[in-house]
Amino acid sequence: MKDLGAEHLAGREGVQLLGLLNLYLEREQRFQPREKGLSLMEATPENDNTLCPRLRNAKVEDLRSLTNFFGSCTETFVLAVNILDRFLALMKVKPKHLSCIGVCCFLLAARIVEEECNIPSTHDVIRISQCKCTASDIKRMEKIISEKLHYELEATTALNFLHLYHTIVLYHTSERKEILNLDKLEAQLKACNCRLVFSKAKPSVLALCLLNLEAETLKSVELLEILLLVKKHSKINDTEFFYWRELVSKCLAEYSSPECCKPDLKKLVWIVSRRTAQNLHNSYYSVPELPTIPEGGCFDESESEDSCEDMSCGEESLSSSPPSDQECTFFFNFKVAQTLCFPS
């Protein structure tokens, strides 16, 4: 089979698509979570002091809920997960810090992706997420995350490849343009993001697997041939491709099963106590601030950066007692509103 090149991508737009694909392929490795750190997390047993895969996956599901609540786009969610995984693969994180870290990853991603008018305030995100930390804690943690990732937060993700592959396919195909549903493909990618194992996959491979499986479902020979050209141009070997394709297929099959806990798309619900409701006004912006966590309770970053680092800090830091009824007027009911296991 011929290579994917100027002969197949004729015209200015085709050349631009090919150039963008080459750029993404060149950049993707830089933004991969460190495999050693991911493997250590996968092998970690569940206990009160260690971060295990279940806690990581639950935090990604929380990120999905935050992006859904604030109306953020899929790119914000995928980038937040990338920042989270890269940081967790580099640092030894205690479970009590994970909530603050998740909020920071969401805010960092939102500031990169969203229009300024759509970026939620730090105080709003703190109240909605119930992360039990202050704006000062968030600011300090954002600085730690940014420094550890060398301020390279705008990553090349599987979503970038998914959109580009989709555009390339539509550029080539003679079939109906609506045959590949991008919203469905994005939802499938979110389902994969909710599982730690897929953080090890190259973004280019993960995106190609999703499109390949969809083309097979549609029984489109033309789409499969185009994707085969993309695979060859991206230098994705068969062993790697079929390994991840099998895992993605299994994940999507479980997602489609009746046993899977899918979001029911119910309207998000505010839960307030009777006493709070009596004093409730039109806005919650007048709610008193939560007690400030002492600045002295910072992270210990003395560990070697050549291995996973230990983010240990004082017991007071990022673990203040639950807010009183008046201190936190609104409580977001995650049991009703979270889209935890998989996105829609």
Side-chain angles (χ1 to χ4, degrees), residues 198 209 213 244-255:
F198 292 107
C209 290
L213 288 168
W244 287 110
R245 182 180 172 281
E246 179 65 23
L247 290 180
V248 171
S249 177
K250 183 179 178 182
C251 173
L252 298 183
E254 293 174 357
Y255 176 57

Side-chain angles (χ1 to χ4, degrees), residues 29-181:
Q29 190 60 40
R30 283 173 53 193
F31 303 104
Q32 278 278 122
R34 194 164 68 167
E35 187 170 353
K36 180 182 177 182
L38 293 176
S39 297
L40 287 173
M41 199 190 317
E42 279 186 323
T44 301
E46 293 191 23
N47 62 59
D48 293 338
N49 272 331
T50 57
L51 182 63
C52 61
R54 179 184 61 80
L55 292 178
R56 177 270 177 195
N57 293 344
K59 184 48 57 183
V60 171
E61 292 162 353
D62 287 349
L63 286 174
R64 175 58 183 146
S65 293
L66 281 177
T67 55
N68 183 47
F69 180 85
F70 287 107
S72 304
C73 63
T74 301
E75 187 179 355
T76 298
F77 169 73
V78 174
L79 182 58
V81 174
N82 176 268
I83 294 172
L84 176 69
D85 284 336
R86 286 162 61 201
F87 186 69
L88 296 183
L90 184 67
M91 308 287 289
K92 282 186 178 179
V93 175
K94 292 186 177 179
K96 66 180 180 180
H97 300 146
L98 190 57
S99 182
C100 180
I101 293 170
V103 166
C104 291
C105 292
F106 169 70
L107 285 169
L108 289 169
R111 291 180 193 133
I112 292 172
V113 175
E114 302 290 340
E115 297 289 337
E116 187 174 354
C117 60
N118 294 329
I119 301 173
S121 73
T122 299
H123 291 285
D124 288 353
V125 179
I126 288 173
R127 286 185 171 93
I128 298 304
S129 67
Q130 301 180 63
C131 67
K132 301 179 184 178
C133 53
T134 66
S136 179
D137 295 321
I138 297 294
K139 186 176 181 180
R140 290 201 305 271
M141 181 63 78
E142 284 180 349
K143 184 173 184 293
I144 292 172
I145 294 172
S146 299
E147 287 177 349
K148 291 302 178 183
L149 300 184
H150 307 291
Y151 296 92
E152 293 186 329
L153 303 177
E154 193 170 354
T156 299
T157 67
L159 185 67
N160 297 127
F161 280 100
L162 189 66
H163 285 182
L164 181 57
Y165 289 161
H166 184 264
T167 303
I168 290 173
V169 167
L170 295 187
Y171 185 86
H172 284 80
T173 185
S174 59
E175 300 180 15
R176 301 189 320 274
K177 289 196 172 185
E178 63 271 16
I179 194 169
L180 279 177
N181 187 322

Side-chain angles (χ1 to χ4, degrees), residues 43 51 56 85 88 162 183 199 224 231 237 282-283 286 295:
L51 182 63
R56 177 270 177 195
D85 284 336
L88 296 183
L162 189 66
D183 289 339
S199 298
L224 289 170
K231 174 176 170 289
N237 64 64
N282 292 330
S283 172
S286 61
E295 292 289 337

Side-chain angles (χ1 to χ4, degrees), residues 176-194:
R176 301 189 320 274
K177 289 196 172 185
E178 63 271 16
I179 194 169
L180 279 177
N181 187 322
L182 190 55
D183 289 339
K184 178 182 178 181
L185 291 167
E186 286 187 3
Q188 291 174 341
L189 176 59
K190 293 174 192 175
C192 293
N193 281 150
C194 290

